[in-house]
Amino acid sequence: MKIIMLGAPGAGKGTQAKMIADKYGIPHVSTGDIFRANIKNGTPLGTEAKQYMDKGLLVPDELTVKILLDRVAQEDCKNGYVLDGFPRTIPQAEVLDKALAELGDKIDYAIDVDVPDENIVRRMGGRRACLSCGATYHIEHVPPKKEGICDVCGQPLVLRDDDRPETVQNRLNVYHEQTQPLIDFYQKKGVLKTVDGTKDMKDVFADIEAVLKA
Ligand code: ADP
Ligand code: AMP
């Protein structure tokens, strides 16, 4: 099963992608997590990506497409995957489609987690991330057991540089201009499913499960 998570930054794509990955035993592939791991490890890719990420801009397609295609070519992705944060532009979606078509394959579902901009701004300020293992928390909705510490790996939690309020509005503008057109793109392909992302995260997941079972 090959699934794409669509939605604004902070809509809950990562939260739901992790739940899907756990339940269906497929890898959760997040281009944002791959970039953050590279930044943390000081790689040239990380240095280049950070310049864009800190401004709330998209990392150029050439760079992003290559890391994604390399990742999904790995053995653990053979039986499917859930993509979180990719594609974010029409050209990215076209490259992915073409690469899959060459293998006689295609995307099964594009799930749009729909959340209005007003809710997003509130959510992002409360998000806390573990840069070691990629776990995500929210100071009100999903607090860690011990304040500021990751439940999974014990490392400190941070407010991501790109979750600062001044950057969030930029990311939303970029989303509306460059990523939202993908909703139409996947609708035309007949694989788009929309869920109400303003519900409690367990209820959002129940709606996604219903879509995947249908
Ligand atoms: P995305 O991957 O789309 O950027 P996340 O999954 O990281 O978004 O979620 C953004 C923030 O909102 C996180 O702090 C997360 O814990 C919180 N969150 C996710 N889903 C919900 C929900 N349904 N209700 C309230 N908060 C949520
Ligand atoms: P995310 O963790 O998905 O919110 O992504 C964080 C940031 O990484 C984004 O704001 C972009 O700067 C960059 N990024 C992640 N995925 C992509 C992508 N598919 N295309 C371009 N930039 C991306």
Side-chain angles (χ1 to χ4, degrees), residues 77-133:
C77 288
K78 246 193 166 141
N79 295 324
Y81 41 77
V82 49
L83 298 186
D84 158 21
F86 186 98
R88 262 182 158 98
T89 64
I90 297 273
Q92 289 181 12
E94 286 172 344
V95 173
L96 176 63
D97 254 22
K98 189 161 166 275
L100 287 171
E102 280 166 10
L103 302 169
D105 210 346
K106 61 172 183 47
I107 291 297
D108 299 300
Y109 299 97
I111 300 175
D112 178 31
V113 183
D114 187 29
V115 177
D117 286 9
E118 312 81 86
N119 302 38
I120 296 284
V121 177
R122 273 202 303 278
R123 274 195 197 174
M124 304 284 255
R127 170 157 66 182
R128 294 295 178 272
C130 174
L131 297 182
S132 279
C133 74

Side-chain angles (χ1 to χ4, degrees), residues 5 11-20 28 30 84-85 127 136:
M5 304 304 292
K13 299 181 297 296
T15 301
Q16 298 300 326
K18 284 192 183 85
M19 293 163 93
I20 294 171
H28 165 213
S30 154
D84 158 21
R127 170 157 66 182
T136 304

